[in-house]
Amino acid sequence: MMLGEESEPAKIWEEVGNECLRRGVRRIVMMGAHWATLGDAVEVSMNPEPKKLPMGGVRDDRYLPYKLVPDIEGGQEVLERLCAAGFKAQAAPKFDWIHDTFLVIIRMFPHCVPIPTTLVSMNARYDPHFHVKIGAALRPMRYDGTLIIGSGGSVHNLYRNHWEHMFRFSDNFAQPVPPDDWALQFRQAVEDAILCNEGPQLRRALTRLMKHPRFRDAHGTDDHWMASLFVAGAAGGMDELGPNVIMGECWELVNMCNTQYQLGSWD
């Protein structure tokens, strides 16, 4: 994964960060991919000095010097809310951050100290309803100065990507051929589900996509889809008015689609 300075998603995330600063957002709560807890548990990042795990194909100086701001106070609130909702939530005092999460923060706040952030793990059983409920349990924090983010992928099957240009030229954005039909079809199904549904209907629509005939083509593993269910839970209350919008999109390695959505309005 490269850190393209002028890519559209990078600019969009910086705009989101600027809006956070303008509105006085106090903290960020995020679920990314790759961190999954076994059994019935969910973990919450509580490491005051986390490291950044290595990123293949990216120079160390592009991301290692960036100073993260873990939110220990916010993490405690997340733990309490999850436990109150019946989850077996536990602290992860030694957890180090993965690129799915710290890249978002770097892009949101490239020129200033970032807003304190808490990470929430997935559960390794990858139950869609379980992850919707995690988001729903943290939904009240949205009304208390918290931005909730899910960092995954609309179409993310590493087994079906085209790697040649990445390995030969370090160019993950090369598109020598169009995406395959299965990738385009699932990408469109995600857009339809998000833009045509609000509130509890949004939760049901994104949950049902795991039954879509192209889901397994688009997701060789389930970890990059759970964050979408997490944010659907956070944005799927009865009082949700929307609108849900696409902010930007890019394709990598021919068949991997990264789409940025905003669920609901700032106001």
Side-chain angles (χ1 to χ4, degrees):
M1 181 178 295
M2 297 176 67
L3 294 173
E5 291 294 346
E6 299 302 326
S7 67
E8 180 186 13
K11 294 179 181 178
I12 289 168
W13 279 116
E14 185 172 359
E15 291 173 3
V16 172
N18 290 338
E19 190 70 9
C20 286
L21 297 174
R22 189 178 74 82
R23 291 177 175 270
V25 171
R26 298 189 300 116
R27 58 177 43 109
I28 294 169
V29 175
M30 184 189 313
M31 178 182 287
H34 301 151
W35 182 25
T37 306
L38 300 176
D40 297 325
V42 177
E43 291 186 301
V44 177
S45 62
M46 295 291 278
N47 186 347
E49 295 291 338
K51 298 178 182 178
K52 304 181 195 72
L53 296 181
M55 289 183 61
V58 180
R59 298 197 318 265
D60 289 350
D61 62 355
R62 300 294 297 277
Y63 66 96
L64 285 181
Y66 191 88
K67 178 66 174 177
L68 300 172
V69 182
D71 187 4
I72 303 304
E73 179 183 351
Q76 186 60 42
E77 180 178 351
V78 169
L79 280 169
E80 292 171 359
R81 287 186 179 276
L82 291 177
C83 289
F87 291 97
K88 295 180 181 178
Q90 54 197 34
K94 297 182 180 181
F95 177 74
D96 292 322
W97 289 31
I98 301 171
H99 65 265
D100 296 80
T101 51
F102 67 71
L103 283 184
V104 173
I105 299 301
I106 289 174
R107 288 311 186 196
M108 288 177 69
F109 308 104
H111 307 299
C112 66
V113 176
I115 292 174
T117 302
T118 296
L119 308 182
V120 182
S121 81
M122 299 171 289
N123 179 268
R125 289 176 175 161
Y126 301 122
D127 180 336
H129 307 287
F130 185 93
H131 290 83
V132 167
K133 290 178 181 177
I134 295 175
L138 301 182
R139 173 178 167 78
M141 296 182 71
R142 292 177 57 197
Y143 303 100
D144 188 28
T146 299
L147 177 68
I148 297 179
I149 297 175
S151 175
S154 299
V155 179
H156 194 284
N157 188 340
L158 299 182
Y159 305 106
R160 305 196 68 176
N161 287 339
H162 295 212
W163 293 95
E164 178 182 2
H165 285 76
M166 179 65 179
F167 292 145
R168 294 182 63 189
F169 310 115
S170 296
D171 186 357
N172 55 317
F173 292 115
Q175 291 290 124
V177 295
D180 291 339
D181 286 346
W182 57 265
L184 292 168
Q185 289 169 13
F186 191 76
R187 178 258 173 225
Q188 189 61 50
V190 175
E191 177 182 328
D192 293 344
I194 292 177
L195 299 190
C196 299
N197 293 280
E198 297 170 358
Q201 291 79 16
L202 175 65
R203 295 175 177 175
R204 288 194 289 270
L206 290 184
T207 299
R208 283 197 304 269
L209 282 179
M210 291 191 74
K211 301 288 188 180
H212 191 282
R214 292 302 197 183
F215 176 80
R216 188 50 65 206
D217 292 319
H219 290 273
T221 58
D222 294 337
D223 58 322
H224 274 265
W225 186 245
M226 293 301 107
S228 300
L229 301 171
F230 168 67
V231 292
M238 293 291 293
D239 58 340
E240 198 68 44
L241 300 176
N244 303 327
V245 298
I246 294 179
M247 299 190 297
E249 182 173 271
C250 69
W251 288 81
E252 295 182 85
L253 305 171
V254 175
N255 284 329
M256 191 160 70
C257 182
N258 307 304
T259 312
Q260 292 76 46
Y261 291 96
Q262 177 177 313
L263 307 183
S265 68
W266 288 92
D267 297 314

